[in-house]
Amino acid sequence: MRTAQRTNKGKKIILWTLLSIVVIVVGIFVYLQSVTYSPSERAEAALKSDDQITITTIKGGYQFEPKGTEVAEPNIIFYPGGLVEPASYSPLARRLAEQGHRVYIADMPLNLAIFGPNKADLFIEEHPDEAFVIGGHSLGGSFASRYAAQHSEKLEGIFFLASYADKGGSLKDTDLSILQITSTDDGVLNREDWETAKENLPEDTTYVSIEGGNHGQYGSYGTQKGDNQPAITEEKQLEEVGVALDHWISALNK
């Protein structure tokens, strides 16, 4: 009798433990969904194919590809910022595709690059004989640098948008070309950490500062918590980012 009682009690404990775990997991998921930034109407519109760009949902994210022209290398892989839906970066990806590049935006589990640091492999495997660069915004840039540090032989360079390479993604001993873009009115980027992290990059890193830009306008998803009001429009900031990337990529091809 006592053995049966113990068995039933043990089953109840296991059941309640499993139920508690499920409740916690669901709670975390709901919370993350509530604080995740969604694409603006402009970003949603930029995610639609037209007579210039074909946009496809593929395994691992989105692919932007120019129509009616030969794809210009390098292909570009982009890791989104933390808790930002990947479609929020479609205006930037479309602009880069309009310059002739094939562009991939990674779709991260729970919209956190920490859970999908090797997503780039899926895109590189599609065109293994072509050149690639990788980059990202905020948290996405840090995990792009970790990927680049471990797979430098697969890449030509890496770009950071309001981001930096931490020790786990140190690139100072690689031959990769590196572009660092920041903005003067960024209220989210930790400038002290960013300055310290320069030691993880080679001396010939290219630095670009966007006057009046903020943290959130590298994408198109509205105002980010803790950010400053920008002195320039989203369109102006993305245009300056695109120009900086164009110049950097042109230098790669020389």
Side-chain angles (χ1 to χ4, degrees):
M1 185 71 174
R2 290 181 178 177
T3 301
Q5 288 177 340
R6 290 196 192 99
T7 300
N8 289 334
K9 185 177 180 180
K11 288 181 178 179
K12 288 181 179 179
I13 291 173
I14 292 173
L15 180 61
W16 280 108
T17 299
L18 291 174
L19 182 60
S20 298
I21 292 173
V22 169
V23 170
I24 291 170
V25 170
V26 170
I28 291 173
F29 180 79
V30 171
Y31 171 74
L32 290 177
Q33 288 293 103
S34 71
V35 296
T36 294
Y37 296 95
S38 300
S40 67
E41 291 184 3
R42 177 172 180 250
E44 293 283 9
L47 196 61
K48 297 178 181 178
S49 298
D50 57 22
D51 58 355
Q52 289 184 297
I53 307 296
T54 299
I55 301 167
T56 312
T57 301
I58 61 173
K59 183 178 180 181
Y62 297 105
Q63 175 183 281
F64 292 67
E65 190 166 287
K67 283 184 180 179
T69 183
E70 185 176 349
V71 172
E73 296 186 43
N75 299 305
I76 301 170
I77 299 170
F78 188 85
Y79 281 12
L83 298 177
V84 182
E85 292 183 16
S88 302
Y89 298 95
S90 56
L92 176 59
R94 172 176 282 276
R95 186 197 181 284
L96 295 170
E98 288 172 351
Q99 298 302 310
H101 301 284
R102 183 185 295 114
V103 184
Y104 298 95
I105 306 177
D107 184 4
M108 297 297 182
L110 299 179
N111 294 303
L112 292 168
I114 188 174
F115 297 123
N118 294 321
K119 275 291 183 78
D121 283 337
L122 296 174
F123 311 134
I124 294 174
E125 286 168 2
E126 289 194 351
H127 303 279
D129 297 325
E130 297 182 7
F132 282 82
V133 296
I134 192 171
H137 175 221
S138 198
L139 181 69
S142 293
F143 278 90
S145 74
R146 292 192 176 198
Y147 180 86
Q150 297 173 13
H151 305 88
S152 60
E153 75 285 353
K154 298 181 179 181
L155 302 165
E156 299 293 323
I158 176 170
F159 59 95
F160 295 87
L161 307 184
S163 184
Y164 53 83
D166 59 14
K167 288 186 178 180
S170 177
L171 303 168
K172 63 181 179 180
D173 295 324
T174 71
D175 294 327
L176 295 174
S177 176
I178 298 171
L179 173 64
Q180 269 269 13
I181 304 179
T182 55
S183 300
T184 59
D185 292 347
D186 190 328
V188 177
L189 178 67
N190 186 312
R191 285 284 177 173
E192 184 176 340
D193 289 347
W194 182 82
E195 285 288 345
T196 301
K198 286 182 178 181
E199 66 185 25
N200 300 319
L201 299 176
E203 293 183 0
D204 61 352
T205 295
T206 299
Y207 293 90
V208 173
S209 178
I210 298 177
E211 186 67 33
N214 70 355
H215 194 83
Q217 288 190 159
Y218 290 98
S220 184
Y221 52 87
T223 304
Q224 185 161 343
K225 184 178 179 180
D227 205 1
N228 295 321
Q229 283 296 318
I232 59 175
T233 65
E234 178 182 291
E235 290 80 3
K236 175 64 174 174
Q237 183 163 338
L238 288 178
E239 177 63 25
E240 292 196 29
V241 170
V243 169
L245 284 166
D246 289 343
H247 290 166
W248 176 65
I249 289 172
S250 295
L252 278 177
N253 292 329
K254 289 181 179 179

